[in-house]
Amino acid sequence: VIHPNVTIEGDTVVGGECTIRSGTRITDSRIGGGVEVLENCVIIDSEIGNNCTVGPMAHLRGHALMADGAKVGNFVELKKTRLGRGSKANHLTYLGDATIGEKTNIGAGTITCNFDGVRKHETHIGDNVKIGSDTMLIAPITVGDGASTGAGSVVTKDVVAGELVAGVPARPLKKATGEG
């Protein structure tokens, strides 16, 4: 179902059983089956897997990729980012130059701080990670599988698998148990 006031242009393919709501613009992108794109989204040069939800008011660009079952919510931007299967970023978030694993939750207000004024840097977030609301991830950085960040953390160093970090700058509150 394509609602009124939707623009689909360029080399775009939309799969079956999708719903695309009003005010959305899709350019040179691939949309899988069973996808719901809510109001006022902009999707450019990106790929959305099957059974994903996008928006409202989300922006995907620069070869963003959402794997099957991923969710991007309101006021979320993905730029040159891969959001893994079943992962979600629901609110007010910028994820740029990032690779995010499966079943990871990105809390509201999270930012991958990927530009140092000269170069772009990558952020790598593993599977089953919980990123607390208002976390700043200062790239280049890696957050290991099963790790967590506390709300409001500024993460400047890699986080090992299973570790909980919090604070400004973030420091370990719970060491990894080795079970990752």
Side-chain angles (χ1 to χ4, degrees), residues 97-158:
D97 298 295
T99 302
I100 299 160
E102 297 183 1
K103 298 180 182 172
T104 287
N105 184 65
I106 307 295
T110 295
I111 298 174
T112 56
C113 305
N114 59 322
F115 185 57
D116 65 8
V118 177
R119 294 180 311 157
K120 302 272 177 133
H121 299 280
E122 293 183 2
T123 298
H124 297 275
I125 301 171
D127 297 337
N128 300 300
V129 173
K130 291 176 180 58
I131 301 293
S133 294
D134 200 29
T135 294
M136 304 294 122
L137 298 160
I138 312 301
I141 198 159
T142 298
V143 179
D145 293 345
S148 299
T149 68
S153 295
V154 177
V155 184
T156 60
K157 296 180 181 173
D158 290 350

Side-chain angles (χ1 to χ4, degrees), residues 9-178:
E9 54 193 9
D11 185 21
T12 295
V13 175
V14 178
E17 299 182 34
C18 290
T19 301
I20 302 174
R21 303 258 176 210
S22 297
T24 293
R25 176 177 167 227
I26 304 171
T27 304
D28 297 326
S29 296
R30 302 186 76 74
I31 312 295
V35 171
E36 183 172 20
V37 179
L38 300 172
E39 290 79 10
N40 301 307
C41 293
V42 177
I43 302 166
I44 301 171
D45 294 323
S46 295
E47 184 174 343
I48 299 170
N50 297 317
N51 304 309
C52 291
T53 303
V54 180
M57 295 179 241
H59 187 186
L60 280 63
R61 64 188 177 96
H63 304 288
L65 179 121
M66 292 176 64
D68 293 349
K71 181 178 181 187
V72 168
N74 53 311
F75 303 105
V76 173
E77 180 176 3
L78 300 183
K79 192 275 295 178
K80 198 177 174 187
T81 290
R82 181 189 192 286
L83 186 62
R85 185 170 46 113
S87 290
K88 56 188 175 177
N90 284 326
H91 315 283
L92 306 162
T93 295
Y94 171 73
L95 301 171
D97 298 295
T99 302
I100 299 160
E102 297 183 1
K103 298 180 182 172
T104 287
N105 184 65
I106 307 295
T110 295
I111 298 174
T112 56
C113 305
N114 59 322
F115 185 57
D116 65 8
V118 177
R119 294 180 311 157
K120 302 272 177 133
H121 299 280
E122 293 183 2
T123 298
H124 297 275
I125 301 171
D127 297 337
N128 300 300
V129 173
K130 291 176 180 58
I131 301 293
S133 294
D134 200 29
T135 294
M136 304 294 122
L137 298 160
I138 312 301
I141 198 159
T142 298
V143 179
D145 293 345
S148 299
T149 68
S153 295
V154 177
V155 184
T156 60
K157 296 180 181 173
D158 290 350
V159 180
V160 299
E163 189 171 52
L164 167 63
V165 299
V168 180
R171 57 202 172 282
L173 295 180
K174 180 184 121 198
K175 292 287 185 181
T177 62

